[in-house]
Amino acid sequence: MTAPFHNRLPRLNLRTVSQTTLDPAEVRKFQAMASKWWDLQGEFAALHSMNDLRVPFIRDNLLNVHGVQQLGKPLAELRILDVGCGGGLLSEPLGRLGADVLGIDPVEDSVRTAEMHSSYDPNLRERVCYQACTLEELAEEEAEGFHAVIASEVVEHLADLDAFASCCRQVLKPGGSLFITTINKTNLSYTLGIVAAEQLLRIVPSGTHDWEKFISPEDLERLLESSGFYVEAIRGMMYNPLTGVWSWQKSTAINYALHAIKRKEEPQPEQTWAESENLDKPGQAPSYS
Protein backbone atom coordinates (compact mmCIF):
# COMPACT_ATOMS: atom_id res chain seq x y z
CA MET A 1 0.00 0.00 0.00
CA THR A 2 1.35 3.41 -0.93
CA ALA A 3 1.19 6.17 1.65
CA PRO A 4 -0.89 9.24 0.76
CA PHE A 5 1.17 12.01 -0.81
CA HIS A 6 1.04 14.29 2.24
CA ASN A 7 2.45 11.48 4.37
CA ARG A 8 5.38 11.00 2.03
CA LEU A 9 6.54 14.61 2.25
CA PRO A 10 9.74 15.28 4.25
CA ARG A 11 9.18 16.46 7.77
CA LEU A 12 9.60 20.20 7.97
CA ASN A 13 9.99 22.64 10.83
CA LEU A 14 6.51 24.13 11.02
CA ARG A 15 7.82 27.35 12.59
CA THR A 16 8.13 29.75 9.69
CA VAL A 17 10.15 32.93 9.84
CA SER A 18 7.25 35.30 9.42
CA GLN A 19 8.39 37.59 12.22
CA THR A 20 11.44 39.81 12.12
CA THR A 21 14.34 39.89 14.55
CA LEU A 22 14.73 43.60 13.88
CA ASP A 23 13.66 46.17 16.46
CA PRO A 24 13.68 49.66 14.85
CA ALA A 25 14.23 51.36 18.20
CA GLU A 26 17.38 49.29 18.76
CA VAL A 27 18.65 50.15 15.27
CA ARG A 28 18.29 53.85 16.07
CA LYS A 29 20.28 53.42 19.29
CA PHE A 30 23.22 51.83 17.52
CA GLN A 31 23.00 54.14 14.53
CA ALA A 32 23.90 56.99 16.88
CA MET A 33 27.03 55.13 18.04
CA ALA A 34 28.15 53.66 14.70
CA SER A 35 31.37 55.68 14.51
CA LYS A 36 32.50 54.80 18.05
CA TRP A 37 33.07 51.05 17.81
CA TRP A 38 36.87 51.25 17.88
CA ASP A 39 37.19 53.83 20.66
CA LEU A 40 38.87 51.67 23.30
CA GLN A 41 37.84 54.09 26.06
CA GLY A 42 34.33 54.77 24.78
CA GLU A 43 30.88 53.18 25.01
CA PHE A 44 32.13 49.84 23.69
CA ALA A 45 35.18 49.48 25.97
CA ALA A 46 33.54 46.59 27.84
CA LEU A 47 32.99 44.70 24.57
CA HIS A 48 36.65 45.12 23.62
CA SER A 49 37.60 43.67 27.00
CA MET A 50 35.08 40.84 26.64
CA ASN A 51 37.14 39.46 23.74
CA ASP A 52 39.55 38.09 26.37
CA LEU A 53 36.82 35.62 27.35
CA ARG A 54 34.58 35.16 24.35
CA VAL A 55 37.27 34.56 21.71
CA PRO A 56 38.88 31.64 23.63
CA PHE A 57 35.40 30.33 24.52
CA ILE A 58 34.46 30.18 20.83
CA ARG A 59 37.85 28.89 19.71
CA ASP A 60 38.13 26.11 22.28
CA ASN A 61 34.58 24.84 21.80
CA LEU A 62 35.01 24.80 18.02
CA LEU A 63 38.27 22.89 18.39
CA ASN A 64 36.49 20.33 20.55
CA VAL A 65 33.99 19.82 17.73
CA HIS A 66 36.23 20.07 14.67
CA GLY A 67 39.80 19.54 15.86
CA VAL A 68 42.82 21.65 14.90
CA GLN A 69 42.71 22.46 11.21
CA GLN A 70 46.05 24.23 10.84
CA LEU A 71 48.82 25.16 13.27
CA GLY A 72 48.78 28.89 13.92
CA LYS A 73 45.34 29.17 12.31
CA PRO A 74 43.22 26.82 14.45
CA LEU A 75 39.90 27.90 12.89
CA ALA A 76 41.06 27.51 9.29
CA GLU A 77 38.44 26.05 6.93
CA LEU A 78 35.61 27.02 9.27
CA ARG A 79 32.96 29.47 8.12
CA ILE A 80 31.54 31.68 10.87
CA LEU A 81 28.59 34.09 10.87
CA ASP A 82 28.85 36.99 13.32
CA VAL A 83 25.28 38.27 13.85
CA GLY A 84 25.01 41.89 14.97
CA CYS A 85 28.71 42.36 14.28
CA GLY A 86 28.68 46.12 14.85
CA GLY A 87 32.12 47.48 14.01
CA GLY A 88 33.71 44.03 13.74
CA LEU A 89 35.13 43.80 17.27
CA LEU A 90 34.66 40.02 17.34
CA SER A 91 34.84 39.29 13.61
CA GLU A 92 38.44 40.46 13.32
CA PRO A 93 40.07 38.25 16.00
CA LEU A 94 38.17 35.23 14.68
CA GLY A 95 39.50 36.01 11.21
CA ARG A 96 43.03 36.19 12.61
CA LEU A 97 42.51 32.67 13.96
CA GLY A 98 41.99 31.52 10.37
CA ALA A 99 38.19 31.44 10.10
CA ASP A 100 36.27 32.79 7.13
CA VAL A 101 33.96 35.28 8.83
CA LEU A 102 30.87 37.04 7.56
CA GLY A 103 29.70 39.83 9.83
CA ILE A 104 26.15 41.11 9.40
CA ASP A 105 24.42 44.08 10.98
CA PRO A 106 21.28 46.04 10.08
CA VAL A 107 23.05 49.36 10.79
CA GLU A 108 24.80 50.28 7.54
CA ASP A 109 27.08 52.85 9.18
CA SER A 110 28.36 50.20 11.60
CA VAL A 111 29.12 47.90 8.67
CA ARG A 112 31.02 50.71 6.93
CA THR A 113 33.02 51.25 10.13
CA ALA A 114 33.82 47.54 10.27
CA GLU A 115 34.87 47.42 6.62
CA MET A 116 37.14 50.44 6.99
CA HIS A 117 38.84 49.12 10.12
CA SER A 118 39.47 45.62 8.73
CA SER A 119 40.93 47.12 5.55
CA TYR A 120 43.94 48.28 7.58
CA ASP A 121 44.99 44.66 8.11
CA PRO A 122 45.91 42.92 4.84
CA ASN A 123 45.62 39.51 6.54
CA LEU A 124 41.89 40.08 7.03
CA ARG A 125 40.96 41.12 3.51
CA GLU A 126 40.51 37.56 2.31
CA ARG A 127 39.00 36.21 5.52
CA VAL A 128 36.57 38.79 6.89
CA CYS A 129 33.73 40.45 5.01
CA TYR A 130 30.61 42.33 6.04
CA GLN A 131 27.06 42.76 4.86
CA ALA A 132 24.35 45.22 5.93
CA CYS A 133 21.30 42.97 6.38
CA THR A 134 19.20 41.15 8.96
CA LEU A 135 19.62 37.52 9.94
CA GLU A 136 16.33 36.51 8.34
CA GLU A 137 17.33 38.14 5.04
CA LEU A 138 20.58 36.18 5.02
CA ALA A 139 18.79 32.97 5.99
CA GLU A 140 16.89 33.04 2.71
CA GLU A 141 20.22 32.84 0.82
CA GLU A 142 22.50 30.79 3.10
CA ALA A 143 20.86 27.51 4.01
CA GLU A 144 23.31 25.37 6.03
CA GLY A 145 26.20 27.58 4.98
CA PHE A 146 28.07 28.04 8.29
CA HIS A 147 29.95 25.92 10.80
CA ALA A 148 29.18 28.42 13.57
CA VAL A 149 26.88 31.34 14.30
CA ILE A 150 27.78 33.91 16.95
CA ALA A 151 25.38 36.37 18.58
CA SER A 152 27.40 38.13 21.26
CA GLU A 153 25.51 40.77 23.27
CA VAL A 154 22.79 40.67 20.61
CA VAL A 155 19.75 38.67 21.72
CA GLU A 156 18.80 41.27 24.35
CA HIS A 157 18.28 43.73 21.49
CA LEU A 158 16.13 41.53 19.21
CA ALA A 159 12.40 41.73 18.58
CA ASP A 160 11.68 37.99 18.20
CA LEU A 161 13.83 35.25 19.71
CA ASP A 162 11.82 32.44 18.09
CA ALA A 163 12.57 33.89 14.67
CA PHE A 164 16.21 34.31 15.68
CA ALA A 165 16.58 30.67 16.76
CA SER A 166 14.82 29.42 13.63
CA CYS A 167 17.10 31.46 11.37
CA CYS A 168 20.21 30.29 13.21
CA ARG A 169 19.17 26.70 12.69
CA GLN A 170 18.50 27.42 9.03
CA VAL A 171 21.95 28.86 8.28
CA LEU A 172 23.94 26.32 10.33
CA LYS A 173 25.32 23.09 8.96
CA PRO A 174 24.13 19.95 10.79
CA GLY A 175 26.22 19.70 13.94
CA GLY A 176 27.09 23.40 13.69
CA SER A 177 27.66 25.56 16.76
CA LEU A 178 25.70 28.52 18.10
CA PHE A 179 27.46 30.85 20.53
CA ILE A 180 25.55 33.43 22.56
CA THR A 181 26.62 35.87 25.25
CA THR A 182 23.86 37.85 26.91
CA ILE A 183 22.39 39.10 30.20
CA ASN A 184 20.29 37.10 32.64
CA LYS A 185 16.89 38.41 33.73
CA THR A 186 17.38 38.81 37.48
CA ASN A 187 17.08 41.55 40.07
CA LEU A 188 20.87 41.61 40.24
CA SER A 189 21.23 42.09 36.49
CA TYR A 190 18.81 45.02 36.67
CA THR A 191 20.71 46.58 39.55
CA LEU A 192 24.18 46.16 38.05
CA GLY A 193 23.45 46.03 34.31
CA ILE A 194 21.09 48.98 34.11
CA VAL A 195 21.11 51.09 37.29
CA ALA A 196 24.86 50.87 37.92
CA ALA A 197 26.24 50.43 34.37
CA GLU A 198 23.96 52.92 32.61
CA GLN A 199 22.78 55.41 35.20
CA LEU A 200 25.56 55.61 37.80
CA LEU A 201 28.86 54.55 36.22
CA ARG A 202 27.93 55.45 32.62
CA ILE A 203 29.78 52.43 31.29
CA VAL A 204 27.25 52.33 28.46
CA PRO A 205 24.77 55.04 27.40
CA SER A 206 21.50 55.27 29.33
CA GLY A 207 18.75 53.34 27.57
CA THR A 208 21.11 50.83 25.93
CA HIS A 209 19.33 47.89 27.58
CA ASP A 210 15.72 46.97 28.30
CA TRP A 211 15.43 44.58 31.26
CA GLU A 212 12.23 43.10 29.79
CA LYS A 213 14.32 41.76 26.88
CA PHE A 214 16.82 39.96 29.11
CA ILE A 215 16.46 36.17 29.21
CA SER A 216 17.50 33.56 31.74
CA PRO A 217 19.79 30.67 30.76
CA GLU A 218 16.97 28.24 31.51
CA ASP A 219 14.50 30.02 29.22
CA LEU A 220 17.10 30.39 26.48
CA GLU A 221 17.98 26.71 26.70
CA ARG A 222 14.32 25.73 26.44
CA LEU A 223 13.84 28.00 23.43
CA LEU A 224 16.90 26.59 21.65
CA GLU A 225 16.00 22.97 22.37
CA SER A 226 12.54 23.54 20.93
CA SER A 227 14.25 24.90 17.80
CA GLY A 228 16.46 21.88 17.12
CA PHE A 229 19.54 22.57 19.29
CA TYR A 230 21.04 20.99 22.36
CA VAL A 231 23.06 23.07 24.82
CA GLU A 232 26.63 21.96 25.45
CA ALA A 233 27.85 24.60 27.91
CA ILE A 234 26.72 27.62 29.93
CA ARG A 235 29.24 29.74 31.86
CA GLY A 236 28.74 32.78 34.06
CA MET A 237 30.64 36.00 33.37
CA MET A 238 31.39 39.10 35.45
CA TYR A 239 32.69 42.55 34.46
CA ASN A 240 34.75 44.58 36.91
CA PRO A 241 34.21 48.27 36.05
CA LEU A 242 37.19 49.32 38.18
CA THR A 243 39.72 47.19 36.31
CA GLY A 244 37.85 46.91 33.00
CA VAL A 245 38.39 43.14 33.06
CA TRP A 246 35.94 40.26 32.52
CA SER A 247 36.24 36.96 34.38
CA TRP A 248 34.46 33.60 34.41
CA GLN A 249 32.13 33.00 37.35
CA LYS A 250 30.15 30.07 38.68
CA SER A 251 27.09 32.29 38.92
CA THR A 252 25.09 33.16 35.81
CA ALA A 253 23.06 35.79 37.69
CA ILE A 254 24.30 38.68 35.53
CA ASN A 255 26.10 37.77 32.29
CA TYR A 256 26.61 34.35 30.74
CA ALA A 257 27.98 32.60 27.66
CA LEU A 258 26.25 29.66 25.99
CA HIS A 259 27.33 27.09 23.41
CA ALA A 260 24.65 25.07 21.62
CA ILE A 261 24.85 22.59 18.76
CA LYS A 262 22.36 22.06 15.96
CA ARG A 263 20.97 18.56 16.11
CA LYS A 264 21.71 16.36 13.13
CA GLU A 265 18.65 14.92 11.43
CA GLU A 266 18.31 11.24 12.20
CA PRO A 267 18.11 9.24 8.97
CA GLN A 268 14.77 7.55 8.52
CA PRO A 269 15.20 3.75 8.33
CA GLU A 270 14.45 2.36 4.91
CA GLN A 271 11.45 0.07 4.72
CA THR A 272 12.45 -3.48 3.89
CA TRP A 273 10.67 -5.56 1.28
CA ALA A 274 9.35 -7.90 4.02
CA GLU A 275 7.91 -4.94 5.95
CA SER A 276 6.18 -3.61 2.85
CA GLU A 277 4.72 -7.06 2.22
CA ASN A 278 3.35 -7.18 5.78
CA LEU A 279 1.57 -3.89 5.27
CA ASP A 280 -0.61 -5.50 2.62
CA LYS A 281 -1.63 -8.44 4.78
CA PRO A 282 -5.25 -8.41 6.02
CA GLY A 283 -5.71 -7.05 9.52
CA GLN A 284 -2.50 -5.02 9.52
CA ALA A 285 -2.86 -1.27 9.42
CA PRO A 286 -0.28 0.71 7.47
CA SER A 287 2.15 2.82 9.49
CA TYR A 288 3.24 6.19 8.10
CA SER A 289 6.27 7.61 9.88
Side-chain angles (χ1 to χ4, degrees):
M1 178 181 290
T2 303
F5 176 73
H6 67 273
N7 282 328
R8 289 185 281 117
L9 290 173
R11 292 179 176 181
L12 302 175
N13 184 350
L14 296 181
R15 177 184 287 133
T16 59
V17 187
S18 57
Q19 295 84 11
T20 177
T21 59
L22 193 66
D23 184 333
E26 298 284 354
V27 172
R28 288 192 292 271
K29 288 180 195 175
F30 286 95
Q31 180 71 43
M33 299 185 284
S35 64
K36 302 177 181 179
W37 284 102
W38 290 95
D39 180 357
L40 298 181
Q41 307 302 320
E43 289 94 332
F44 299 112
L47 288 183
H48 284 273
S49 177
M50 189 186 284
N51 277 359
D52 291 341
L53 290 192
R54 58 184 179 174
V55 172
F57 181 74
I58 294 165
R59 178 200 63 203
D60 294 347
N61 278 288
L62 285 176
L63 291 180
N64 286 338
V65 174
H66 299 283
V68 177
Q69 304 297 317
Q70 180 181 326
L71 290 178
K73 301 291 182 185
L75 302 186
E77 300 181 20
L78 298 183
R79 192 161 182 244
I80 296 177
L81 175 64
D82 184 7
V83 178
C85 65
L89 276 59
L90 186 52
S91 299
E92 288 197 9
L94 294 174
R96 293 189 181 96
L97 290 173
D100 291 321
V101 183
L102 172 61
I104 63 170
D105 200 287
V107 180
E108 289 193 25
D109 287 349
S110 291
V111 170
R112 301 290 89 80
T113 297
E115 289 176 333
M116 179 175 293
H117 193 273
S118 66
S119 70
Y120 299 142
D121 186 344
N123 293 321
L124 295 177
R125 290 175 188 164
E126 298 299 320
R127 290 201 179 95
V128 179
C129 59
Y130 299 98
Q131 188 173 332
C133 68
T134 63
L135 175 59
E136 55 269 27
E137 288 169 343
L138 185 76
E140 295 178 359
E141 310 168 3
E142 288 275 6
E144 298 190 347
F146 297 92
H147 298 92
V149 172
I150 298 165
S152 185
E153 306 307 294
V154 168
V155 300
E156 66 269 24
H157 301 288
L158 299 179
D160 189 319
L161 291 186
D162 284 304
F164 163 78
S166 181
C167 287
C168 287
R169 186 180 187 282
Q170 189 171 337
V171 301
L172 274 172
K173 297 176 181 292
S177 291
L178 173 61
F179 295 95
I180 294 172
T181 68
T182 189
I183 309 174
N184 199 345
K185 192 173 185 178
T186 62
N187 291 334
L188 188 58
S189 71
Y190 179 81
T191 302
L192 297 181
I194 294 181
V195 176
E198 296 186 14
Q199 300 169 12
L200 298 178
L201 301 177
R202 305 288 183 181
I203 296 172
V204 292
S206 180
T208 298
H209 295 111
D210 177 355
W211 188 79
E212 291 298 330
K213 286 188 170 182
F214 293 177
I215 184 169
S216 71
E218 295 81 10
D219 286 344
L220 184 55
E221 183 172 2
R222 277 192 290 268
L223 183 149
L224 292 175
E225 292 199 341
S226 70
S227 299
F229 292 89
Y230 63 92
V231 173
E232 276 280 292
I234 299 175
R235 298 188 68 181
M237 306 163 68
M238 173 73 79
Y239 180 68
N240 185 330
L242 299 179
T243 62
V245 173
W246 287 87
S247 60
W248 293 116
Q249 301 287 322
K250 289 184 178 179
S251 172
T252 59
I254 307 172
N255 295 78
Y256 62 95
L258 177 149
H259 174 217
I261 293 180
K262 175 181 173 179
R263 294 185 184 277
K264 296 181 180 180
E265 295 291 339
E266 293 294 333
Q268 295 296 318
E270 291 186 8
Q271 189 181 66
T272 65
W273 177 84
E275 289 171 335
S276 64
E277 284 292 298
N278 287 336
L279 290 179
D280 289 327
K281 290 182 179 179
Q284 283 208 289
S287 173
Y288 305 129
S289 58

